[in-house]
Amino acid sequence: MSRLPGRLAVAGLYAGGFLGPFGGGVVASMLPELGEAFQLSAGAASASLTVYMIPFAGFMLFSGTWGQRWGARRTVITAYLVYVAASLGCALAQDEYLFLAGRAVQGAANAFVTPLLLGALAAITPPTRLGRTLGWFASMQAAGQTSAPLIGGLAAEVSWRYAFLGVAVVAAGLAVLGLPGGESGPRRSASLRTAWRPAVLRAGLVAGIGWGCLGGLSYLVALRLDDDFQLSAGTRGLVLTGFGLTGILTARAVGRAIDRFGARRCVLTGTVLGGVLLAGVGLVPSLLAVGLLWAAAGPAMQLIMVGLNALVLAGNGDNRGGAVSVVQSLRFGGGALSPVAFVPVYHLDPLAAFLLPAALLLTTAPVVLPRIPPGQGTEK
């Protein structure tokens, strides 16, 4: 597997970036069909999203480090094969318990893929081009997240099971591609202590606040679109898609900006822009303005997340995968806590529910963000 042409393996790294968020979100538009198949309400079927995300976020606290110790190539190929088996299990499941178990295994397997793909990209990319490379990867992730509901919904028009068969085929192909050279062999020096350094944890805290207070707030925007503008579900979805589309279109430019101006500066710029735009989403009385502001927040989110990934991957240590794994875990942990924190505030005061996360974005990063990349002693 490792002897295939290097360009194909590099292409596989980017395709793997697409598969993770696609596999996680593919069920979002097929909840009624899942409910009908398993005699569940659509609300109960939504557990298929939760059971994917919990092991995905939880295992990423450790998966990057463990994967480096076992060998990145071996770990990624094994994780893809487990993902294939779990996807086939979902496609063939005859009851909700087997289906949800398959979703949980999908999430756990993906936790051992995404951080090691990022580490492998950093290993084969010159430092002066790291931002652009991570920007491309982020665009693939955004494309997977944005297209998942559409493709999943189209598949469900025939049979929702076809979506999981398709995911299994793609994961099998990625297992054949494996990883290019670089961080492929076992690295016994990788340890949880090297991944859980204070600077990495601080970057992870910014990622959790950034995602929980901006990238993961689509549910809050949807509530306002329903309450203030009485939009249908389809129209709300169309407005929300703007965030992902602008993120895809600007990811490459964001990467170039990181290479030119430095990762920390771009993260801080993203948090300021994101905070201002989010406050505007809660304040403006015009539907068009809400849609435009929310779409403009997509590039701000890319500045935050691509910048943080560049920050923790910029060093030359043996545990790049472990460090970025911790950051990604805290990112999705922040997203999981976001509805618990802000939906009650929204019911008390809708405007406050937007101003509070905006304030957190504006104030946290300048205080918490490390002043030097966590893996090296200098910053651009």
Side-chain angles (χ1 to χ4, degrees):
M1 295 180 186
S2 62
R3 299 292 184 256
L4 288 174
R7 288 188 178 181
L8 283 177
V10 172
L13 296 179
Y14 292 103
F18 178 93
L19 179 65
F22 180 87
V26 72
V27 300
S29 57
M30 60 175 71
L31 297 182
E33 287 77 13
L34 291 173
E36 182 179 352
F38 300 125
Q39 288 78 54
L40 300 171
S41 67
S46 68
S48 59
L49 291 164
T50 305
V51 298
Y52 184 99
M53 291 304 302
I54 290 176
F56 177 57
F59 273 109
M60 274 207 293
L61 283 171
F62 318 97
S63 59
T65 297
W66 290 348
Q68 299 268 210
R69 290 182 63 84
W70 298 335
R73 178 178 289 115
R74 178 192 307 166
T75 301
V76 167
I77 292 172
T78 301
Y80 277 139
L81 294 177
V82 172
Y83 201 97
V84 170
S87 300
L88 292 175
C90 289
L92 299 173
Q94 297 302 310
D95 62 61
E96 68 270 25
Y97 302 108
L98 290 176
F99 179 77
L100 293 177
R103 289 289 290 167
V105 175
Q106 278 187 318
N110 192 39
F112 287 87
V113 172
T114 301
L116 296 178
L117 296 182
L118 285 165
L121 280 171
I124 62 175
T125 302
T128 56
R129 296 184 60 86
L130 181 59
R132 271 164 279 194
T133 296
L134 296 179
W136 275 114
F137 189 86
S139 71
M140 293 300 293
Q141 288 188 305
Q145 184 178 17
T146 303
S147 65
L150 174 61
I151 296 176
L154 291 175
E157 293 287 340
V158 182
S159 172
W160 61 266
R161 298 179 189 273
Y162 289 153
F164 290 94
L165 291 175
V167 167
V169 171
V170 173
L174 293 174
V176 172
L177 291 178
L179 291 183
E183 299 194 354
S184 295
R187 292 181 175 268
R188 302 302 180 191
S189 59
S191 67
L192 294 177
R193 182 173 56 83
T194 61
W196 292 6
R197 297 191 308 277
V200 174
L201 293 174
R202 288 163 62 187
L205 178 59
V206 175
I209 291 173
W211 192 252
C213 294
L214 186 61
L217 277 189
S218 58
Y219 66 91
L220 206 62
V221 181
L223 287 174
R224 189 180 177 210
L225 292 174
D226 182 39
D227 291 342
D228 292 351
F229 304 105
Q230 292 77 51
L231 297 188
S232 66
T235 309
R236 293 197 302 271
L238 183 62
V239 174
L240 294 176
T241 300
F243 182 96
L245 289 176
T246 56
I248 295 169
L249 295 173
T250 59
R252 188 180 180 188
V254 165
R256 288 198 298 267
I258 289 168
D259 289 335
R260 181 174 181 180
F261 301 112
R264 187 176 190 273
R265 188 175 299 170
C266 287
V267 173
L268 294 175
T269 301
T271 58
V272 171
L273 287 175
V276 171
L277 291 168
L278 183 60
V281 169
L283 281 166
V284 296
S286 161
L287 173 59
L288 177 61
V290 169
L292 291 174
L293 289 171
W294 183 242
M301 191 69 244
Q302 291 287 38
L303 281 167
I304 297 170
M305 290 313 311
V306 179
L308 288 170
N309 285 339
L311 200 64
V312 299
L313 289 168
N316 298 313
D318 289 337
N319 200 11
R320 289 189 183 99
V324 78
S325 181
V326 170
V327 170
Q328 293 298 310
S329 176
L330 294 175
R331 166 192 176 181
F332 290 109
L337 292 174
S338 180
V340 179
F342 299 126
V343 168
V345 179
Y346 181 87
H347 290 314
L348 291 173
D349 185 338
L351 178 57
F354 287 92
L355 296 182
L356 177 57
L360 288 172
L361 281 170
L362 290 167
T363 59
T364 302
V367 177
V368 175
L369 195 65
R371 293 192 173 276
I372 58 172
Q376 65 185 47
T378 61
E379 182 193 6
K380 178 176 286 197

